[in-house]
Amino acid sequence: MANYSHAADNILQNLSPLTAFLKLTSLGFIIGVSVVGNLLISILLVKDKTLHRAPYYFLLDLCCSDILRSA
């Protein structure tokens, strides 16, 4: 039976440095865009007084949870 920790080590060792760099860069970009976008929406919802209603509180809650999940 294969040990999964050793299988993961083999996968990481077989990647070329360029491939690993591109994967890490793209994942970092996705995380950055997600955090910044959700922060901007959260700031908009907090600052604009016309958006202080129940559906927008739900959207603010979703933004906060998505920021935590992304980070």
Side-chain angles (χ1 to χ4, degrees):
M1 206 146 159
N3 190 351
Y4 289 108
S5 63
H6 294 300
D9 290 340
N10 290 338
I11 291 171
L12 293 176
Q13 290 174 353
N14 292 337
L15 287 177
S16 70
L18 179 62
T19 305
F21 173 76
L22 289 175
K23 284 184 179 182
L24 289 174
T25 303
S26 63
L27 287 175
F29 179 73
I30 291 168
I31 290 170
V33 167
S34 175
V35 169
V36 169
N38 282 304
L39 277 175
L40 289 174
I41 292 173
S42 298
I43 291 170
L44 174 71
L45 291 173
V46 169
K47 287 194 177 242
D48 193 358
K49 300 294 182 192
T50 62
L51 300 177
H52 287 197
R53 291 185 286 152
Y56 298 109
Y57 287 131
F58 180 67
L59 183 61
L60 181 63
D61 182 51
L62 288 175
C63 285
C64 292
S65 66
D66 195 30
I67 288 170
L68 291 174
R69 188 172 42 103
S70 296

